[in-house]
Amino acid sequence: MNEQEIKMLCVISGFKRARKNDLIFFDEVKRIYFLKKGIVKIIQTDAEGNEKVKDFLQQGDIFGDITLEKGKNSLGNSEYAKAVSDEVIICSFMPDDFEQVLEKNPSIALKLTKKVGEELRTLQVRYNDLIFRDVKTRLINFLVDFSQKNGKKEQDSIAVKNFLTHQDIADIIGATRQTVTSLINELERDNKLHYSRSKIIIPNINDLKIG
């Protein structure tokens, strides 16, 4: 969205501000959240209280219970967000307010439709990867996608600020932390990846990609 559209949305919304490592809990009443600034990770808990990283979101992403139906948040207390960048600003909307904005601004409604379609495609790719791809391929596909979305490209090289732990990656691709660590070490030995706590560098994106 452009700056004018963001201001239009945020003027009728509630704000949440957070610093790095702050937890952001979703309201019991159904709301739609818009990430105005920063990067967050969405964490999901199971019945036993075990936590897993579900996704990483960046500026411009919409998340939460994004249906426009009224009522309680269907996610319950099973999900929350954690700020991973130095500063995070989140706008939140009641379904009625958000629906009014969409009715008055067809361009925003169209962008929302496209965004939801992109998220569904991402989920479909991850589902297919879990069924048909081995762990190494899933890891490489995730690193390529994450770097292309968040990094700075210079010719065939990409560098991206790293907010990921090995456990975060393992949760997202459906693997163990030990396996992810082993595969990252292998890619580093082959000079296809440089991974540190602060930065991920892919020297040549074409060398890392798997068809």
Side-chain angles (χ1 to χ4, degrees):
M1 297 182 186
N2 60 42
E3 189 64 25
Q4 183 178 0
E5 289 170 334
I6 291 173
K7 287 180 179 179
M8 186 182 303
L9 285 173
C10 290
V11 74
I12 63 168
S13 71
F15 281 87
K16 292 179 182 288
R17 293 179 180 268
R19 296 292 182 183
K20 188 174 182 178
N21 295 324
D22 285 350
L23 302 183
I24 304 160
F25 295 96
F26 302 141
D27 295 338
E28 289 187 8
V29 177
K30 183 173 291 188
R31 282 182 176 268
I32 298 159
Y33 298 88
F34 176 78
L35 186 53
K36 186 174 186 291
K37 182 178 181 180
I39 298 177
V40 302
K41 59 183 176 182
I42 305 299
I43 299 173
Q44 188 172 46
T45 57
D46 62 21
E48 286 73 40
N50 300 311
E51 298 180 345
K52 287 193 174 184
V53 175
K54 181 180 177 182
D55 205 356
F56 276 82
L57 303 176
Q58 59 184 335
Q59 181 175 319
D61 282 340
I62 292 177
F63 60 102
D65 197 337
I66 62 175
T67 63
L68 296 179
E69 296 177 357
K70 303 173 187 177
K72 288 188 176 182
N73 178 8
S74 64
L75 302 176
N77 297 318
S78 64
E79 289 188 11
Y80 61 91
K82 183 175 182 179
V84 295
S85 56
D86 293 334
E87 183 181 14
V88 166
I89 301 176
I90 296 173
C91 308
S92 65
F93 316 88
M94 299 297 290
D96 282 348
D97 292 334
F98 194 64
E99 189 171 3
Q100 288 177 20
V101 171
L102 296 181
E103 288 175 351
K104 294 177 181 177
N105 301 274
S107 63
I108 296 178
L110 179 59
K111 289 176 182 179
L112 175 64
T113 301
K114 289 181 178 179
K115 183 65 178 177
V116 172
E118 290 171 2
E119 292 180 356
L120 288 174
R121 282 194 296 272
T122 297
L123 290 174
Q124 185 177 30
V125 168
R126 288 184 184 174
Y127 177 76
N128 289 338
D129 278 357
L130 283 172
I131 296 176
F132 300 112
R133 306 282 189 178
D134 59 25
V135 177
K136 184 175 182 179
T137 302
R138 299 203 300 268
L139 172 63
I140 289 173
N141 287 345
F142 171 77
L143 290 172
V144 168
D145 182 63
F146 177 79
S147 299
Q148 287 180 326
K149 286 181 178 178
N150 301 288
K152 183 178 180 181
K153 189 173 183 180
E154 186 172 337
Q155 294 182 341
D156 292 330
S157 175
I158 298 180
V160 57
K161 189 173 181 180
N162 187 17
F163 301 103
L164 302 165
T165 67
H166 289 189
Q167 185 62 59
D168 291 339
I169 297 173
D171 288 345
I172 292 173
I173 69 171
T176 65
R177 181 187 60 78
Q178 294 85 349
T179 299
V180 167
T181 298
S182 176
L183 290 172
I184 286 176
N185 290 340
E186 178 185 325
L187 292 171
E188 288 192 296
R189 286 194 302 269
D190 294 339
N191 200 35
K192 292 185 176 181
L193 180 75
H194 302 305
Y195 184 102
S196 69
R197 291 183 178 181
S198 61
K199 187 175 291 186
I200 297 173
I201 299 174
I202 300 175
N204 189 313
I205 193 74
N206 297 314
D207 286 347
L208 185 61
K209 283 182 178 179
I210 294 178

